């Protein structure tokens, strides 16, 4: 397994993810079918290898389902809205919005 400069692993096996998150491996495997953000790679021996991003996504889903008591559909919706709002505030998107507003102002003043 490769590790990051700070010693964190790039990928973790399902057992490690289960220990980190406090979830059963069967729950993690089920969530893979429900949430596209959890997409483990497979090793040559077929073991699931989860990226740090997937582990973060699992932790967020756990929070939504267990702490906030959302349904799976509710958690999917919340994740979708969070992704939409984060992409809406990307620098490219903000730049496009500002340019569009400036062009509209220019048209009004002309």
């Amino acid at each position: 397994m490769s590790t990051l400069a700070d010693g964190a692993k790039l990928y973790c096996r399902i057992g490690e993810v289960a220990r980190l998150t406090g979830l059963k491996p069967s729950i993690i495997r089920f969530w893979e079918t429900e949430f596209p953000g959890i997409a483990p790679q497979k090793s040559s021996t077929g073991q699931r290898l989860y990226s740090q991003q997937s582990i973060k996504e699992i932790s967020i889903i756990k929070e939504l389902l267990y702490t906030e008591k959302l349904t799976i559909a509710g958690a999917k919706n919340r994740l979708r809205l969070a992704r939409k709002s984060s992409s809406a505030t990307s620098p490219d998107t903000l730049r496009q919005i500002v340019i569009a507003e400036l062009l509209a102002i220019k048209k009004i003043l002309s």
Side-chain angles (χ1 to χ4, degrees):
M1 304 253 166
S2 300
T3 57
L4 298 171
D6 64 0
K9 290 183 179 182
L10 287 174
Y11 295 95
C12 294
R13 293 185 182 126
I14 194 166
E16 295 169 302
V17 176
R19 281 190 295 280
L20 288 169
T21 60
L23 296 166
K24 293 181 181 180
S26 60
I27 297 293
I28 297 168
R29 285 191 301 273
F30 172 71
W31 286 357
E32 287 174 29
T33 66
E34 295 292 323
F35 298 95
I38 306 172
Q41 295 183 10
K42 297 276 181 128
S43 70
S44 60
T45 59
Q47 290 187 323
R48 289 170 165 82
L49 299 175
Y50 295 86
S51 68
Q52 293 300 314
Q53 183 60 37
S54 289
I55 296 168
K56 182 179 176 184
E57 183 94 359
I58 291 167
S59 297
I60 291 168
I61 293 166
K62 179 183 176 185
E63 174 77 17
L64 293 173
L65 295 176
Y66 293 1
T67 304
E68 294 190 29
K69 306 289 186 200
L70 296 177
T71 62
I72 288 179
K76 285 180 183 179
N77 189 40
R78 179 79 62 89
L79 289 169
R80 186 174 51 255
L81 290 173
R83 283 189 190 99
K84 195 180 283 187
S85 70
S86 69
S87 68
T89 58
S90 72
D92 288 335
T93 304
L94 291 175
R95 189 175 303 112
Q96 290 173 351
I97 292 169
V98 169
I99 290 170
E101 289 177 354
L102 289 172
L103 290 173
I105 292 169
K106 181 180 177 182
K107 185 177 180 181
I108 292 169
L109 295 175
S110 300

